[in-house]
Amino acid sequence: MHTHENTTRLMPDVAGQAQPHLSGALDWVGMDGIEVPVRFDAGDGEVQRASAQVGAFVNLVRPDKRGIHMSRLYLLVDHQLGGSEPLSASLLESLLRSFLESHKDLSDRARLSIRFDTLVRRAALRSANSGWRSYPVSVEASLGPDGFRLELGTEVVYSSTCPASAALSRQLIQERFAQDFAADRPLDHATVLQWLGSEQGIVATPHAQRSVARLLVRLKDGVPFDLLATLDRVEQALGTPVQTAVKREDEQAFALANGGNLMFCEDAARRIQRALDADDRLADFHVRVEHQESLHPHDAVAYASKGVPGGFGSP
């Protein structure tokens, strides 16, 4: 007489049982917030390990089937994303194909979303110092009858100084100058120089705010990940990305950069649009610029895209 039974055979599996009163195909079924380590090269050749939140989904085309095999998706994510291979288009496409192979009788579309932060070393503006900047990364990949699609998202935080506020401030400074220095008297260089460096002379300053550009780019087929290339393009176009290590000479250089890069949210969106439009690695892009106003309790927002027919900017 057997003292041990194969209990696996006795375990019920109701996921495959049909429920006629609840039949119907489903767009997506799966899991979100799967915790898994991933390896990512931002573009500098250094592979970092990051703690990621992963969403794994397939569609359910069989209305007579109650559910999918979620454990299969989880194990595939854990095995392929949690391994030693860095994130790449080929890795993600292979994982999505594994999703469909494990659900070949249920699904014809698969989708992945991966969210994590990556650290980038940034040099100070003037001093010999440097520090770390953390950039959020989102990866969206899908595979279906229409092929493989890959999108990469991130954010750039920068300072924006209002051009209107700057003009109004200059006017007030002119008016104070006219009050303090009569037009019919000769100007003394030392006196004017001292006046320019005083709070009495510079009676108004333009308002500036921390601002965020949220980027979503669609890579062309065969193009490798290079987050740094995208970040550098955008930060150079804006001219005022936030800093890490800051000594007085760095802060002064940042003030100079703000004065030389006055911009409304429309200006910032167009700068980024021009920079990304010149990047031949990108098939499409979407930009959301948010200036977190210091004058108003609301934000100023602008959107831009590449303008591809049927792309991100289409109605």
Side-chain angles (χ1 to χ4, degrees), residues 25-29 57-60 109 111:
L26 298 176
D27 294 337
W28 297 109
V29 186
F57 298 89
V58 293
N59 62 348
L60 182 55
R109 293 182 183 275
R111 181 165 64 90

Side-chain angles (χ1 to χ4, degrees), residues 35-70:
E35 298 172 344
V36 63
V38 296
R39 297 180 182 275
F40 182 71
D41 179 1
D44 55 4
E46 296 186 10
V47 178
Q48 294 184 23
R49 191 182 187 193
S51 175
Q53 298 281 320
V54 176
F57 298 89
V58 293
N59 62 348
L60 182 55
V61 298
R62 291 279 299 275
D64 60 318
K65 295 294 185 181
R66 189 174 185 180
I68 67 164
H69 307 290
M70 291 200 184

Side-chain angles (χ1 to χ4, degrees), residues 2-8 10:
H2 293 289
T3 59
H4 174 76
E5 295 185 18
N6 186 348
T7 56
T8 302
L10 302 178

Side-chain angles (χ1 to χ4, degrees), residues 128-143:
N129 299 300
S130 65
W132 292 103
R133 278 282 290 115
S134 177
Y135 294 91
V137 180
S138 65
V139 180
E140 299 284 340
S142 62
L143 180 66

